Amino acid sequence: DYIESIAECMVPFACLPPERLLDGDALLFKFNGDVIRELVDDYLIPANARVDLTSSTFGRASDFDEHVSNMNVDRGNENHSMNSKSGDAIDFTLETAGEPYTEPIFGMKYWSHPISEALTNQWMESREPKLPPTSSKITLPPVNPFVPRRFDLKDLPKEDSHHPLLFCSLKICVSIGKRKSWFPCTVNKYDSIQNRILLGMEDGEEVWHKVDMKLAEYHKVKQLALNYEGTLDGKKVKFKVISIPKDGEGAVMKYGDESDWHIEDGVHFPHIPP
């Protein structure tokens, strides 16, 4: 059945693009409030209602006996008018309903009567929105305090907010004795209160570093590019951007670039001791 339904959606008159074969026949892509309002206000109304009531209460013992003999009767021209010849609504009872009609396909007995105008008017009045009377057992549910009323995005906390360097992979130049070496790290967090970033090192350690440049100055940079260089902790630590995350991508540790093979002091990428 599933394959058949997809095949039907592929026919030219369905006018469905390939990317909409699975849901195009079920989704409405254009909202038309006027058509919906016209349908609800002018067509889906009690005056146009038809009520089908099915109950064994109205059955007769002779119906089953007659069913076999009626199967061979030609019902092609059978009339399906209402039992009430005058077209007026009447209170239905087996005594006043008259002889039932027979449904032509399955041979079921049925009666047909119009709905009274008084009942239709009562239904029309019930369409108007109103609160139930105080005597009614039907009441509105209590207010749900967990239903949201505001859908705007909440501001990020200042101690964990956005920064152009967030989730970027960096190489920081750290002094080890008299020698300077570059180490890989990732910017995991930004604290706007103290203007500092939390760097995740390769061994899993996390260290806070003060950013020398203010956040407003970073915003002046149109696009943070690879090999962008800056300083941390009052110019004690130098860093270089070696990887920038894509939209929606989290922190990714990139261990280095082509400069890792340089052997000059302060430029090369140190190997990790065992």
Side-chain angles (χ1 to χ4, degrees), residues 68-86:
V68 177
S69 61
N70 289 338
M71 291 297 291
N72 298 322
V73 177
D74 184 10
R75 303 184 182 92
N77 298 323
E78 187 169 356
N79 185 16
H80 292 276
S81 60
M82 295 185 178
N83 288 78
S84 176
K85 303 303 181 181
S86 62

Side-chain angles (χ1 to χ4, degrees), residues 24-248:
D25 61 335
L27 298 181
L28 300 177
F29 299 99
K30 293 183 179 180
F31 175 79
N32 193 328
D34 295 335
V35 173
I36 297 175
R37 192 174 297 106
E38 179 184 5
L39 180 65
V40 174
D41 293 343
D42 299 337
Y43 294 95
L44 299 180
I45 58 177
N48 293 336
R50 189 189 75 175
V51 180
D52 293 336
L53 178 61
T54 304
S55 174
S56 59
T57 303
F58 307 128
R60 298 181 177 181
S62 59
D63 288 347
F64 182 78
D65 298 333
E66 297 176 358
H67 176 69
V68 177
S69 61
N70 289 338
M71 291 297 291
N72 298 322
V73 177
D74 184 10
R75 303 184 182 92
N77 298 323
E78 187 169 356
N79 185 16
H80 292 276
S81 60
M82 295 185 178
N83 288 78
S84 176
K85 303 303 181 181
S86 62
D88 298 330
I90 61 174
D91 293 333
F92 179 84
T93 63
L94 289 177
E95 289 73 20
T96 60
E99 290 296 322
Y101 295 108
T102 302
E103 194 276 329
I105 304 300
F106 298 99
M108 300 298 296
K109 305 293 184 180
Y110 73 94
W111 291 266
S112 179
H113 294 282
I115 301 174
S116 66
E117 184 177 357
L119 184 57
T120 302
N121 293 336
Q122 183 179 351
W123 289 347
M124 291 292 292
E125 293 176 0
S126 300
R127 297 177 69 236
E128 300 298 328
K130 65 183 69 173
L131 293 175
T134 55
S135 59
S136 175
K137 296 182 179 180
I138 300 177
T139 59
L140 294 175
V143 177
N144 188 348
F146 300 103
V147 175
R149 291 178 173 81
R150 292 182 53 188
F151 298 95
D152 51 327
L153 295 178
K154 188 177 181 180
D155 294 335
L156 292 173
K158 293 184 178 180
E159 66 275 8
D160 188 8
S161 54
H162 180 70
H163 191 278
L165 290 174
L166 188 64
F167 298 151
C168 287
S169 292
L170 310 179
K171 284 169 58 176
I172 59 174
C173 185
V174 180
S175 298
I176 302 178
K178 296 182 180 181
R179 187 175 181 176
K180 294 181 179 180
S181 298
W182 291 87
F183 290 90
C185 60
T186 303
V187 183
N188 294 334
K189 198 173 184 180
Y190 172 67
D191 182 359
S192 62
I193 299 177
Q194 303 186 37
N195 192 32
R196 59 179 185 168
I197 56 177
L198 181 65
L199 298 183
M201 310 304 294
E202 185 181 5
D203 58 0
E205 182 184 5
E206 291 185 324
V207 183
W208 286 101
H209 290 273
K210 186 81 172 180
V211 182
D212 293 338
M213 186 183 296
K214 295 181 179 180
L215 180 61
E217 298 178 6
Y218 273 102
H219 288 162
K220 294 179 181 179
V221 180
K222 293 184 178 180
Q223 186 176 4
L224 199 63
L226 295 178
N227 298 322
Y228 177 87
E229 297 184 357
T231 59
L232 306 171
D233 300 333
K235 298 184 179 181
K236 295 180 181 179
V237 177
K238 183 180 179 181
F239 72 85
K240 181 172 68 172
V241 177
I242 60 173
S243 178
I244 301 175
K246 300 177 181 179
D247 292 340

